[in-house]
Amino acid sequence: MNAAYHLDSYRRHLATEVVSVRDEGLGVVLADTVLYPTGGGQPHDVGRLVFDGREITVTAVRSEGGTIVHELAEPWNEARGSAEVHLDWARRFDHMQQHTAQHVLSALAEDRHGWKTTAFHLGEAVCDVEIAVAGLKARQLDELEEEVNEVLRSALPVTDRWVSPEDLAGLEVRSRGLPDGHEGLVRLVEIDGIDLNTCGGTHLASTAEAETLKLLGREEMRGGTRLFWVAGRRVRARLGERETLLTGLRGVLEGADDELESLAAKKKRQVQSLQKELRSAGELLVESWVEGALAADTEIVAQSVDPLGGEAVSRVARGFAARSSEASAVRCVVIASSSGPWAVAVAEDLDAQSFGRKLCDELGARGGGRGTVFQGKSDLGAAEFLERAISSLELLGD
C-alpha cells in the first residue's frame, strides 16, 4: 500500500492508528502517514502526533526495511491507539520546491550539455548536485540557470506513477539506481517533456510552483563539479538576508551599492596600515617596559602591559630574563594583563618556577614554565593581580 505522502504530497494531516511502539516509546509505527522518511537525498519531514488532546513532536522519520518509524520528542505511553499525524507544511513545501527544481536542473544539465548528475543533497539552507564534468565556466552555468528557469516558468505538470520492474526495463528512465534490496513496484516521477526519473521523494504538481532557481557557486571535486543552488522561497529569503546585510554595509562604509567593494578594500588597507603602526608602537612600548624594569632600584618590579595584552606579557618576561644581568637592583619582574595572562621573570640565580607555583597556589592562578620564566593565566585584573603577587613573593626574605 502506498503511503499517504506518496498519494498526495499536499496532504497535511491524517487520522491513523499506532500499530507498534519501539525505542522505549520514542519511536512509533503508524498504519499510514503523511510524513516522508529520509531518503533519495531528501531529508525527512517533521510534524506532530495528536491523541486524546495531547501533542508529541515528531522530530524525525526513518525507514527500516520498508517500515516507517516516527521518532518522538517524548515517549508514547500507549501501546496502540488512534492518533492524528500533522505535517510541518512549510518544511515539506520547501523540500518539494528544492527537489522538483533539482529534477529540472539535472535533466537539462544532462540532456542539453551532457553533464550527468551523480549525487544530490538537499541541505537545510543550500542544495547541491554533483555532476560528472570538471572545468565548467561561469558562462556555461549562466546558460544552464537560464534554461532551468525557462522550464520552471513554463508550468509543466509533474506527475508520478508506479511500474513493475519488467515495464521499467522498457522505458527511457533517468535513474541513479534503486535502493539496495528494493523489490516490487518502482515509483517514477515525470516532468512533462523534460524528465522521467525513478524517485521516492515528494514533488510539486507544477514546475511553476518552484518559482525560480539560482546557482550560487561551484566546487571542483573528484574529477567532477559540485553545484550549489537554491530554489523557491529560499531565493527570496536569501535575497532578503542580503538586502539587510547591504543596508548595514551602506551605513558602515557610507557608500552606495556599487561603491561598497572599493570602500571595503580601502578600509582593509587602512586597517592593515594601522595594524603595522600598532605593532611598531607595541614593540617600542615592550622595549621601554623592559628598559624600565632593568633600571628599577627595587628587587621586585610589577608591570602591567595593558592595553597590549597577552603577547606583550610573554615578550616583556623573555626580554627581562635575557638581559637580567644588566639590572643593578631588580631581580624579579611580575608582568600581568587584564585579559588574564601573567608571567614571572627572574635573574639567572633565582628559581622562577618556585615563585610561579607560589603565585598559582596563593592567587588561584594557573600556569607553568621552565628556567627563568614562568607564565600563566588568572581571572584577576592586572592591578589586583600585581598587588597581591608582590605581597606574596616577599623576595627580600628569601
Side-chain angles (χ1 to χ4, degrees):
M1 180 182 68
N2 292 335
Y5 60 76
H6 271 155
L7 296 175
D8 182 2
S9 295
Y10 291 81
R11 188 167 183 174
R12 306 187 190 191
H13 58 85
L14 175 73
T16 185
E17 297 284 329
V18 175
V19 298
S20 66
V21 182
R22 56 181 67 187
D23 303 331
E24 299 181 345
L26 292 175
V28 298
V29 178
L30 305 177
D32 197 3
T33 184
V34 292
L35 303 187
Y36 177 79
T38 298
Q42 179 175 325
H44 60 77
D45 288 326
V46 297
R48 298 173 292 123
L49 202 59
V50 181
F51 64 100
D52 292 337
R54 182 187 175 198
E55 293 188 0
I56 296 181
T57 300
V58 180
T59 59
V61 188
R62 68 181 190 273
S63 179
E64 293 183 353
T67 298
I68 299 174
V69 181
H70 301 70
E71 299 178 13
L72 307 180
E74 52 188 289
W76 172 276
N77 296 321
E78 305 292 333
R80 294 172 179 241
S82 298
E84 291 184 358
V85 58
H86 294 258
L87 169 70
D88 181 333
W89 172 245
R91 176 182 169 95
R92 160 66 70 78
F93 188 70
D94 170 64
H95 290 174
M96 291 165 64
Q97 287 188 312
Q98 309 312 311
H99 205 158
T100 303
Q102 179 266 319
H103 276 234
V104 175
L105 173 65
S106 293
L108 297 183
E110 182 173 0
D111 293 346
R112 299 188 184 182
H113 301 275
W115 309 334
K116 184 176 179 61
T117 294
T118 58
F120 160 56
H121 172 242
L122 199 166
E124 184 175 343
V126 175
C127 300
D128 65 81
V129 292
E130 296 179 13
I131 57 177
V133 63
L136 294 177
K137 303 294 189 293
R139 60 174 178 76
Q140 294 175 293
L141 297 181
D142 289 343
E143 181 180 354
L144 175 61
E145 178 181 289
E146 185 57 41
E147 292 170 344
V148 170
N149 282 290
E150 182 179 358
V151 168
L152 296 184
R153 292 192 299 271
S154 299
L156 300 178
V158 183
T159 58
D160 69 275
R161 66 181 188 271
W162 295 82
V163 299
S164 67
E166 294 76 20
D167 290 338
L168 178 66
L171 297 173
E172 292 186 8
V173 176
R174 200 184 319 272
S175 177
R176 297 197 305 274
L178 299 177
D180 293 339
H182 178 86
E183 296 180 359
L185 298 178
V186 178
R187 183 171 182 260
L188 302 181
V189 173
E190 183 171 12
I191 301 175
D192 190 30
I194 297 295
D195 189 39
L196 181 62
N197 207 318
T198 59
C199 184
T202 57
H203 295 82
L204 303 167
S206 166
T207 59
E209 291 183 277
E211 301 178 29
T212 188
L213 178 143
K214 178 60 184 175
L215 292 175
L216 303 177
R218 64 188 184 277
E219 175 183 89
E220 301 291 324
M221 37 72 64
R222 297 191 294 275
T225 303
R226 180 180 286 117
L227 299 181
F228 299 95
W229 52 275
V230 289
R233 291 175 179 172
R234 294 193 185 190
V235 177
R236 289 184 279 118
R238 197 174 182 90
L239 177 60
E241 291 167 359
R242 295 310 184 268
E243 280 301 312
T244 299
L245 176 62
L246 283 173
T247 298
L249 288 175
R250 292 182 203 114
V252 172
L253 297 175
E254 300 179 338
D257 286 2
D258 59 357
E259 300 174 312
L260 294 180
E261 184 175 358
S262 62
L263 288 172
K266 179 180 179 180
K267 292 288 186 183
K268 181 179 180 180
R269 291 192 297 270
Q270 290 173 340
V271 169
Q272 290 173 333
S273 177
L274 288 173
Q275 287 174 331
K276 183 177 180 180
E277 292 178 14
L278 284 173
R279 283 194 297 270
S280 298
E283 290 171 0
L284 291 174
L285 189 52
V286 167
E287 184 179 346
S288 174
W289 282 329
V290 172
E291 293 289 348
L294 292 171
D297 58 3
T298 59
E299 286 196 321
I300 306 175
V301 170
Q303 179 64 64
S304 169
V305 295
D306 287 341
L308 293 191
E311 183 181 352
V313 169
S314 178
R315 291 168 63 191
V316 172
R318 288 185 278 107
F320 174 81
R323 300 176 57 190
S324 62
S325 61
E326 302 176 25
S328 57
V330 65
R331 308 191 68 210
C332 172
V333 178
V334 184
I335 311 106
S337 166
S338 292
S339 60
W342 61 272
V344 174
V346 300
E348 292 183 357
D349 61 329
L350 297 178
D351 181 10
Q353 309 313 305
S354 64
F355 295 162
R357 287 190 293 272
K358 184 174 183 180
L359 292 182
C360 286
D361 292 341
E362 297 188 14
L363 277 64
R366 52 202 179 277
R370 61 182 180 180
T372 56
V373 175
F374 186 103
Q375 300 183 78
K377 292 259 317 186
S378 170
D379 295 328
L380 301 175
E384 182 180 359
F385 180 89
L386 292 172
E387 181 181 358
R388 294 176 59 182
I390 295 298
S391 63
S392 296
L393 288 178
E394 299 176 348
L395 182 60
L396 291 177
D398 291 340

